């Protein structure tokens, strides 16, 4: 079986009713699961209903909604219980357009929706998207004015989910407030990659495209910032496919519940609006929040009280760092707002 030319590695782009479209170097193959894999899945589903799931960190997080992203050590869970969009698979090619899925490769991450219905089903995870590894957070430098509190919220979600966040500041061709430059500098200083773009001058679009190569990415951000425009510059027609249409309702036209991945011609995949909705619904437990603000991390464990919420306690190392000008005051305000569950 080593180097069998009929066996290809690919990524599941979509799936329904046991039929999966798999993207390989030799095109997209319509595939079914090979018999023994089907059996293994059925057994794994049975086993998962009787055992608690193994993950510690995310199990301790109370979720107001049921979506979650989890990172698993592949040795902990070598075989996913179900095939999901985004999974890497080995496919045996049967003819020009069809194949058999013979093997699933270990997952690096999964964006899931837990069935909150019956208790018996509680441990069955419906994975929305496997192996998502990057989120592009798009904001406009102006029109609309950037809402950095919302950006901070998205950044925290990405940290909680261990997803790489890329900040894209679009409409760089328009005159904008200098506080946007200051904010960009702040995000850079704390370690985020900031890309300035414009679909008018073309600034930054090559850099953005290059950063998507070989990643499974998702674009999100407020409406009107230029997400569809940017995506269409990168790959004509793509915004419509991923359901990112700026129509009057702001909802796009996608009606299916499953996620779909779309291949980029230079390599890499983009997730559609179902994946975006699942990410937006993520909730971070208050006690995990401070660690999701990357520049707070060196101070964790340094406060007077071990259960310090870093909001207004005396002897708080984080508040001290804000007073000393080491931690940005606005970031601390964002933290406080999210912690207190205030509207964005
Ligand atoms: P979305 O809602 O985030 O998908 O935003 P759209 O792509 O629909 O863009 C909203 C508006 O901003 C449209 O009128 C675009 O033409 C405009 N726009 C998008 N990108 C830029 C840009 O880089 N510069 C300027 N000046 N306008 C832009
Ligand atoms: Zn504190």
């Amino acid at each position: 079986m080593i180097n069998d030319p009929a066996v290809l590695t690919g990524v599941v782009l979509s799936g329904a009713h046991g039929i999966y479209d798999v993207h390989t170097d030799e095109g997209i193959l319509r595939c079914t699961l090979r018999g023994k894999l089907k059996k293994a899945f059925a057994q794994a589903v049975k086993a998962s209903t009787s055992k608690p799931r193994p993950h510690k960190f995310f199990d301790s997080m109370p979720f107001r909604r049921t979506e979650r992203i989890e990172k698993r050590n592949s040795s902990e869970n070598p075989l996913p219980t179900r095939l999901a969009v985004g999974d890497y698979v080995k496919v045996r090619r049967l003819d020009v357009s069809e194949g058999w899925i013979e093997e699933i490769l270990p997952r690096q991450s999964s964006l899931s929706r837990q069935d909150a219905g019956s208790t018996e089903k509680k441990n069955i995870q419906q994975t929305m998207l496997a192996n998502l590894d990057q989120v592009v957070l798009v904001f406009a430098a102006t029109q609309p004015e950037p809402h950095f509190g919302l950006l901070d919220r998205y950044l925290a979600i990405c940290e909680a989910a261990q997803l790489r966040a890329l900040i894209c500041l679009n409409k760089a061709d328009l005159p904008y407030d200098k506080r946007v430059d200051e904010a960009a500098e702040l995000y850079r200083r704390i370690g985020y990659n900031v890309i300035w773009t414009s679909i008018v001058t073309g600034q930054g679009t090559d850099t953005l495209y290059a950063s998507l190569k070989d990643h499974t990415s998702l674009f999100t951000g407020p409406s009107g910032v230029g997400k569809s425009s940017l995506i269409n510059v990168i790959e004509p027609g793509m915004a419509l496919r991923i359901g990112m249409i700026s129509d009057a309702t702001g909802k796009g036209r996608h009606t299916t519940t499953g996620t779909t991945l779309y291949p980029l011609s230079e390599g890499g995949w983009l997730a559609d609006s179902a994946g975006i909705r699942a990410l937006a619904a993520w909730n971070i437990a208050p006690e995990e929040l401070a660690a999701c603000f990357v520049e707070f991390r060196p101070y964790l464990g340094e406060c007077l009280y071990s259960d310090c919420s870093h909001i207004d306690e005396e002897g708080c190392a984080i508040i001290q760092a804000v007073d000393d000008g080491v931690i940005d005051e606005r970031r601390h305000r964002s933290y406080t707002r999210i912690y207190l569950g205030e509207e964005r």
Side-chain angles (χ1 to χ4, degrees):
M1 281 271 276
I2 302 161
N3 289 335
D4 183 339
V7 177
L8 305 166
T9 303
V11 173
V12 178
L13 298 180
S14 62
H17 314 297
I19 296 167
Y20 302 91
D21 282 344
V22 177
H23 182 241
T24 72
D25 283 345
E26 298 178 21
I28 295 173
L29 298 178
R30 183 141 287 191
C31 299
T32 51
L33 290 179
R34 198 160 186 180
K36 64 176 182 196
L37 248 190
K38 248 190 245 169
K39 224 173 175 178
F41 281 157
Q43 276 162 1
V45 169
K46 230 188 228 165
S48 75
T49 53
S50 53
K51 261 189 288 166
R53 293 181 325 98
H55 207 276
K56 294 173 219 92
F57 178 73
F58 288 100
D59 279 349
S60 66
M61 298 169 77
F63 287 86
R64 265 177 281 160
R65 300 202 208 170
T66 53
E67 288 83 359
R68 60 171 67 190
I69 296 178
E70 58 191 88
K71 276 269 171 180
R72 282 186 186 173
N73 182 330
S74 52
S75 64
E76 249 177 52
N77 190 23
L79 183 69
T81 53
R82 266 181 199 164
L83 189 60
V85 169
D87 268 324
Y88 289 93
V89 291
K90 293 251 183 203
V91 178
R92 176 170 295 274
R93 166 169 232 158
L94 300 174
D95 61 32
V96 268
S97 63
E98 292 187 11
W100 250 346
I101 295 171
E102 298 206 320
E103 192 185 336
I104 304 188
L105 303 178
R107 255 177 217 170
Q108 299 308 307
S109 71
S110 61
L111 173 57
S112 307
R113 182 164 59 193
Q114 189 164 28
D115 192 327
S118 68
T119 43
E120 161 205 333
K121 275 192 179 167
K122 226 174 180 161
N123 293 315
I124 300 181
Q125 293 281 312
Q126 188 202 349
T127 296
M128 300 280 294
L129 184 55
N131 300 320
L132 175 69
D133 61 0
Q134 182 168 263
V135 177
V136 183
L137 301 170
V138 188
F139 283 76
T142 185
Q143 297 177 30
E145 294 298 309
H147 183 341
F148 291 116
L150 183 61
L151 175 56
D152 289 335
R153 189 180 296 262
Y154 274 124
L155 288 172
I157 290 174
C158 291
E159 294 302 328
Q162 294 174 272
L163 296 169
R164 182 161 75 156
L166 204 68
I167 300 169
C168 173
L169 289 172
N170 191 37
K171 308 198 187 184
D173 56 284
L174 298 174
Y176 57 84
D177 199 298
K178 76 171 190 327
R179 81 185 175 92
V180 181
D181 275 322
E182 289 161 9
E185 184 44 40
L186 162 68
Y187 290 114
R188 240 189 217 125
R189 199 166 62 234
I190 62 177
Y192 291 106
N193 200 345
V194 180
I195 305 177
W196 285 90
T197 56
S198 165
I199 62 153
V200 175
T201 64
Q203 177 188 345
T205 51
D206 286 348
T207 312
L208 182 60
Y209 198 9
S211 63
L212 302 178
K213 191 166 160 45
D214 300 330
H215 289 285
T216 298
S217 315
L218 184 156
F219 274 70
T220 192
S223 90
V225 297
K227 296 181 299 298
S228 333
S229 310
L230 275 171
I231 290 167
N232 279 338
V233 165
I234 284 169
E235 192 97 22
M238 181 63 100
L240 183 72
R241 269 173 274 170
I242 65 173
M244 192 163 276
I245 314 151
S246 302
D247 58 10
T249 66
K251 283 187 197 134
R253 266 201 256 142
H254 240 64
T255 48
T256 51
T257 51
T259 318
T260 303
L261 284 185
Y262 293 89
L264 294 162
S265 40
E266 298 284 316
W269 298 269
L270 286 190
D272 71 355
S273 53
I276 297 163
R277 281 194 297 273
L279 185 78
W282 175 278
N283 275 294
I284 306 165
E287 64 275 19
E288 307 291 353
L289 186 62
C292 296
F293 279 70
V294 287
E295 74 275 42
F296 292 10
R297 287 176 188 166
Y299 304 95
L300 297 177
E302 303 290 315
C303 303
L304 182 59
Y305 304 109
S306 63
D307 63 347
C308 185
S309 66
H310 324 299
I311 301 287
D312 54 9
E313 285 92 334
E314 76 177 274
C316 172
I318 288 171
I319 293 171
Q320 186 60 53
V322 173
D323 291 343
D324 292 345
V326 189
I327 288 179
D328 186 76
E329 199 184 344
R330 196 189 52 69
R331 287 273 292 170
H332 185 255
R333 266 203 308 277
S334 290
Y335 166 82
T336 306
R337 265 197 214 116
I338 302 170
Y339 188 93
L340 299 175
E342 287 171 14
E343 277 306 299
R344 24 201 98 163

